PDB file of all heavy atoms in Angstrom:
ATOM      1  N   LEU E   4      -5.046 -15.458  18.965  1.00  0.00           N
ATOM      2  CA  LEU E   4      -3.912 -14.902  18.225  1.00  0.00           C
ATOM      3  C   LEU E   4      -3.790 -13.417  18.554  1.00  0.00           C
ATOM      4  O   LEU E   4      -4.731 -12.661  18.333  1.00  0.00           O
ATOM      5  CB  LEU E   4      -4.102 -15.104  16.717  1.00  0.00           C
ATOM      6  CG  LEU E   4      -3.042 -14.486  15.794  1.00  0.00           C
ATOM      7  CD1 LEU E   4      -1.660 -15.061  16.086  1.00  0.00           C
ATOM      8  CD2 LEU E   4      -3.426 -14.694  14.327  1.00  0.00           C
ATOM      9  N   PHE E  12       8.746   3.134  14.240  1.00  0.00           N
ATOM     10  CA  PHE E  12       9.166   4.522  14.315  1.00  0.00           C
ATOM     11  C   PHE E  12      10.422   4.742  13.475  1.00  0.00           C
ATOM     12  O   PHE E  12      11.266   3.842  13.354  1.00  0.00           O
ATOM     13  CB  PHE E  12       9.453   4.920  15.767  1.00  0.00           C
ATOM     14  CG  PHE E  12       8.230   4.999  16.635  1.00  0.00           C
ATOM     15  CD1 PHE E  12       7.969   4.038  17.594  1.00  0.00           C
ATOM     16  CD2 PHE E  12       7.340   6.052  16.495  1.00  0.00           C
ATOM     17  CE1 PHE E  12       6.852   4.110  18.401  1.00  0.00           C
ATOM     18  CE2 PHE E  12       6.209   6.130  17.286  1.00  0.00           C
ATOM     19  CZ  PHE E  12       5.968   5.164  18.245  1.00  0.00           C
ATOM     20  N   ILE E  46       6.388  -6.557  13.435  1.00  0.00           N
ATOM     21  CA  ILE E  46       7.584  -5.781  13.081  1.00  0.00           C
ATOM     22  C   ILE E  46       8.705  -6.714  12.620  1.00  0.00           C
ATOM     23  O   ILE E  46       9.621  -6.307  11.904  1.00  0.00           O
ATOM     24  CB  ILE E  46       8.053  -4.918  14.276  1.00  0.00           C
ATOM     25  CG1 ILE E  46       9.103  -3.906  13.818  1.00  0.00           C
ATOM     26  CG2 ILE E  46       8.596  -5.785  15.409  1.00  0.00           C
ATOM     27  CD1 ILE E  46       9.525  -2.931  14.883  1.00  0.00           C
ATOM     28  N   GLN E  49       8.142  -7.236   8.466  1.00  0.00           N
ATOM     29  CA  GLN E  49       7.578  -6.043   7.830  1.00  0.00           C
ATOM     30  C   GLN E  49       7.309  -6.213   6.340  1.00  0.00           C
ATOM     31  O   GLN E  49       6.383  -5.591   5.817  1.00  0.00           O
ATOM     32  CB  GLN E  49       8.523  -4.850   8.045  1.00  0.00           C
ATOM     33  CG  GLN E  49       8.388  -4.200   9.407  1.00  0.00           C
ATOM     34  CD  GLN E  49       9.201  -2.920   9.488  1.00  0.00           C
ATOM     35  OE1 GLN E  49      10.220  -2.761   8.830  1.00  0.00           O
ATOM     36  NE2 GLN E  49       8.751  -1.990  10.311  1.00  0.00           N
ATOM     37  N   VAL E  52       3.967  -9.226   5.743  1.00  0.00           N
ATOM     38  CA  VAL E  52       2.854  -9.127   6.689  1.00  0.00           C
ATOM     39  C   VAL E  52       1.662  -9.968   6.236  1.00  0.00           C
ATOM     40  O   VAL E  52       1.130 -10.801   6.986  1.00  0.00           O
ATOM     41  CB  VAL E  52       2.441  -7.660   6.891  1.00  0.00           C
ATOM     42  CG1 VAL E  52       1.179  -7.577   7.756  1.00  0.00           C
ATOM     43  CG2 VAL E  52       3.570  -6.875   7.539  1.00  0.00           C
ATOM     44  N   GLU E  93     -16.414 -15.813  10.941  1.00  0.00           N
ATOM     45  CA  GLU E  93     -16.999 -15.882  12.285  1.00  0.00           C
ATOM     46  C   GLU E  93     -16.020 -15.448  13.376  1.00  0.00           C
ATOM     47  O   GLU E  93     -16.342 -15.483  14.584  1.00  0.00           O
ATOM     48  CB  GLU E  93     -17.471 -17.304  12.572  1.00  0.00           C
ATOM     49  CG  GLU E  93     -16.388 -18.350  12.746  1.00  0.00           C
ATOM     50  CD  GLU E  93     -15.904 -18.960  11.438  1.00  0.00           C
ATOM     51  OE1 GLU E  93     -16.080 -18.312  10.383  1.00  0.00           O
ATOM     52  OE2 GLU E  93     -15.349 -20.076  11.480  1.00  0.00           O
ATOM     53  N   GLY E 147     -14.166  -1.473  31.387  1.00  0.00           N
ATOM     54  CA  GLY E 147     -13.109  -1.192  30.423  1.00  0.00           C
ATOM     55  C   GLY E 147     -13.368  -1.722  29.034  1.00  0.00           C
ATOM     56  O   GLY E 147     -12.505  -1.633  28.157  1.00  0.00           O
ATOM     57  N   GLU E 171      -2.351 -10.538  40.996  1.00  0.00           N
ATOM     58  CA  GLU E 171      -3.461 -10.608  40.034  1.00  0.00           C
ATOM     59  C   GLU E 171      -2.958 -10.469  38.607  1.00  0.00           C
ATOM     60  O   GLU E 171      -3.451 -11.122  37.687  1.00  0.00           O
ATOM     61  CB  GLU E 171      -4.506  -9.538  40.336  1.00  0.00           C
ATOM     62  CG  GLU E 171      -5.729  -9.662  39.447  1.00  0.00           C
ATOM     63  CD  GLU E 171      -6.803  -8.638  39.761  1.00  0.00           C
ATOM     64  OE1 GLU E 171      -6.468  -7.537  40.238  1.00  0.00           O
ATOM     65  OE2 GLU E 171      -7.979  -8.944  39.520  1.00  0.00           O
ATOM     66  N   MET E 187      18.468  -5.529  19.259  1.00  0.00           N
ATOM     67  CA  MET E 187      18.819  -4.120  19.302  1.00  0.00           C
ATOM     68  C   MET E 187      20.313  -4.026  19.033  1.00  0.00           C
ATOM     69  O   MET E 187      21.135  -4.498  19.835  1.00  0.00           O
ATOM     70  CB  MET E 187      18.487  -3.495  20.648  1.00  0.00           C
ATOM     71  CG  MET E 187      18.907  -2.037  20.731  1.00  0.00           C
ATOM     72  SD  MET E 187      18.372  -1.226  22.243  1.00  0.00           S
ATOM     73  CE  MET E 187      19.147   0.384  22.005  1.00  0.00           C
ATOM     74  N   ASP E 232      13.206 -14.278  33.741  1.00  0.00           N
ATOM     75  CA  ASP E 232      12.468 -14.912  32.653  1.00  0.00           C
ATOM     76  C   ASP E 232      12.925 -14.381  31.301  1.00  0.00           C
ATOM     77  O   ASP E 232      13.066 -15.141  30.336  1.00  0.00           O
ATOM     78  CB  ASP E 232      10.967 -14.676  32.835  1.00  0.00           C
ATOM     79  CG  ASP E 232      10.135 -15.432  31.813  1.00  0.00           C
ATOM     80  OD1 ASP E 232      10.142 -16.673  31.847  1.00  0.00           O
ATOM     81  OD2 ASP E 232       9.503 -14.779  30.957  1.00  0.00           O
ATOM     82  N   GLN E 313       7.465  25.459  28.470  1.00  0.00           N
ATOM     83  CA  GLN E 313       6.198  25.915  29.055  1.00  0.00           C
ATOM     84  C   GLN E 313       5.028  25.403  28.217  1.00  0.00           C
ATOM     85  O   GLN E 313       4.025  24.918  28.762  1.00  0.00           O
ATOM     86  CB  GLN E 313       6.172  27.443  29.130  1.00  0.00           C
ATOM     87  CG  GLN E 313       7.119  28.041  30.155  1.00  0.00           C
ATOM     88  CD  GLN E 313       6.670  27.792  31.582  1.00  0.00           C
ATOM     89  OE1 GLN E 313       5.509  27.517  31.853  1.00  0.00           O
ATOM     90  NE2 GLN E 313       7.609  27.883  32.512  1.00  0.00           N
ATOM     91  N   SER E 318       8.422  21.876  32.000  1.00  0.00           N
ATOM     92  CA  SER E 318       9.441  22.626  32.731  1.00  0.00           C
ATOM     93  C   SER E 318       9.804  21.960  34.044  1.00  0.00           C
ATOM     94  O   SER E 318      10.981  21.837  34.406  1.00  0.00           O
ATOM     95  CB  SER E 318       8.963  24.060  32.985  1.00  0.00           C
ATOM     96  OG  SER E 318       8.844  24.777  31.785  1.00  0.00           O
ATOM     97  N   ASN E 358       5.297  28.381  18.622  1.00  0.00           N
ATOM     98  CA  ASN E 358       6.030  29.639  18.476  1.00  0.00           C
ATOM     99  C   ASN E 358       7.437  29.452  17.916  1.00  0.00           C
ATOM    100  O   ASN E 358       8.225  30.393  17.907  1.00  0.00           O
ATOM    101  CB  ASN E 358       6.107  30.346  19.836  1.00  0.00           C
ATOM    102  CG  ASN E 358       4.738  30.776  20.319  1.00  0.00           C
ATOM    103  OD1 ASN E 358       3.891  31.210  19.540  1.00  0.00           O
ATOM    104  ND2 ASN E 358       4.486  30.634  21.619  1.00  0.00           N
ATOM    105  N   SER E 418       4.188  25.642  12.711  1.00  0.00           N
ATOM    106  CA  SER E 418       4.282  26.653  13.763  1.00  0.00           C
ATOM    107  C   SER E 418       3.732  27.966  13.212  1.00  0.00           C
ATOM    108  O   SER E 418       3.368  28.063  12.035  1.00  0.00           O
ATOM    109  CB  SER E 418       5.733  26.813  14.224  1.00  0.00           C
ATOM    110  OG  SER E 418       6.465  27.603  13.299  1.00  0.00           O
ATOM    111  N   GLN E 484      12.717  15.386  -0.611  1.00  0.00           N
ATOM    112  CA  GLN E 484      11.468  14.991  -1.255  1.00  0.00           C
ATOM    113  C   GLN E 484      11.484  13.502  -1.615  1.00  0.00           C
ATOM    114  O   GLN E 484      10.475  12.810  -1.482  1.00  0.00           O
ATOM    115  CB  GLN E 484      11.218  15.843  -2.497  1.00  0.00           C
ATOM    116  CG  GLN E 484      10.935  17.312  -2.201  1.00  0.00           C
ATOM    117  CD  GLN E 484       9.748  17.505  -1.264  1.00  0.00           C
ATOM    118  OE1 GLN E 484       8.778  16.741  -1.292  1.00  0.00           O
ATOM    119  NE2 GLN E 484       9.810  18.526  -0.419  1.00  0.00           N
TER     120      GLN E 484
END
Side-chain angles (χ1 to χ4, degrees):
L4 176 60
F12 291 107
I46 192 174
Q49 279 188 331
V52 174
E93 69 275 22
E171 185 178 29
M187 177 174 176
D232 186 66
Q313 290 289 339
S318 294
N358 294 322
S418 79
Q484 293 303 326

